[in-house]
Amino acid sequence: MLDYVFLVVGFALLIKGADFFVDGSASVARKLKIPGMIIGMTIVAMGTSAPECAVSVAAALKGSNTMAISNVVGSNIFNLMVVCGACAVFAPLPVKESTMKQEFPLSILAAVLLFIMGNQSMKIGRIDGVILLIVFAAFLAWMVMEARNARNQAGEGEIAALKGWQCLLYILVGLGAIVAGGDFVVDSASAIAESFGLSPTLIGLTIVAFGTSLPELVTSLVAAKKGETDMAIGNVIGSNIFNILLVLGVAGAVSPMEVLMENLIDDIILIGMSAVVWIFAWRRKQISRLHGAIMLAMYAGYVGYICTR
């Protein structure tokens, strides 16, 4: 029972820690007069990906390397099919043509790059991690330039500015909670997996992936409810890119990760599902309620597959 308590506590720390981190960092950016679009595309996206980063790096340091990769791939599949699917069922998601031509293909290319690296030597080594981080740095620089070009159209956002000492406190408390939550989740999830005879890969793809994707789910659902549909789908696509390039880049640079054949199969499924959603969006320039229902059904089928394989 203690393992389940630690798992719940870990998820709570991850979610609340990410919340504090985003608020504190966004307030610092606001004080420095950084445009709202840059805040949303960088700080908020990295904040919602912080749980995946904490869990994957903690897993890599503890030798649970298959959970690190499974967590990222599982989170990306959950983000795409469940978060986008649920938002689309709630309110159809218009997709800008620039998003379909730039960010969406890049998210697919990131998954393809992961497959190529993993398939070559069946591991993500330190060199692979550094390459992923270099690509991430280039992607981040490109996002900042794009945001600066569009800053005249950027909104101010709704995050209230905090005092200087509050910003620092929020950031430190948030990061501390994220790190502690990552440790709790990895330790308890591994213990639960062993007690049920389940593989760390399965736990990483399901329980851990769902828990670390809760920030994206909450953020996107709230954005869709407020009519900010661009933010809803942008948060998902951006987080998926961050998860592969930044999270696995850091985890791989810290400790080489073994890649299982199951990881490669799941990555292929991620690529295929991404292509399907891309086609959905391309045909009607939106993800409709019907598309959302289909995406949720596809995820349910995927969960059934990984539980029985």
Side-chain angles (χ1 to χ4, degrees), residues 58-192:
L61 289 173
K62 294 175 184 298
S64 301
N65 293 334
T66 54
M67 183 180 289
I69 298 175
S70 299
N71 173 45
V72 165
V73 176
S75 292
N76 281 14
I77 293 175
F78 184 91
N79 287 346
L80 186 67
M81 307 308 286
V82 177
V83 177
C84 271
C87 289
V89 169
F90 184 81
L93 296 176
V95 184
K96 291 182 178 179
E97 187 172 349
S98 60
T99 300
M100 290 186 291
K101 290 183 177 180
Q102 297 174 3
E103 288 86 358
F104 221 128
L106 186 57
S107 70
I108 297 176
L109 287 175
V112 171
L113 179 60
L114 174 61
F115 176 82
I116 293 173
M117 286 181 169
N119 191 50
Q120 280 185 336
S121 58
M122 298 306 290
K123 71 175 182 178
I124 301 296
R126 288 191 170 88
I127 294 178
D128 296 322
V130 171
I131 292 174
L132 290 174
L133 290 175
I134 291 173
V135 176
F136 170 75
F139 167 67
L140 193 61
W142 171 66
M143 279 203 304
V144 171
M145 288 189 293
E146 287 287 309
R148 285 178 176 173
N149 293 335
R151 66 178 178 271
N152 291 332
Q153 291 77 36
E156 287 301 314
E158 300 182 0
I159 300 177
L162 301 170
K163 295 180 181 179
W165 67 269
Q166 290 177 316
C167 294
L168 180 61
L169 180 63
Y170 271 48
I171 291 172
L172 292 178
V173 170
L175 287 176
I178 288 170
V179 172
D183 277 333
F184 279 142
V185 168
V186 170
D187 290 342
S188 57
S190 298
I192 292 171

Side-chain angles (χ1 to χ4, degrees), residues 255-305:
S255 177
M257 298 176 290
E258 179 186 1
V259 177
L260 305 178
M261 184 57 64
E262 291 177 348
N263 296 139
L264 295 179
I265 294 173
D266 292 325
D267 192 42
I268 292 174
I269 291 173
L270 171 61
I271 295 170
M273 287 182 170
S274 299
V276 169
V277 177
W278 191 21
I279 293 172
F280 282 166
W282 191 273
R283 292 182 63 186
R284 297 186 180 181
K285 302 298 185 290
Q286 71 170 6
I287 300 175
S288 67
R289 286 187 170 90
L290 176 60
H291 293 154
I294 293 173
M295 291 159 64
L296 291 174
M298 289 176 65
Y299 184 78
Y302 168 71
V303 171
Y305 159 70

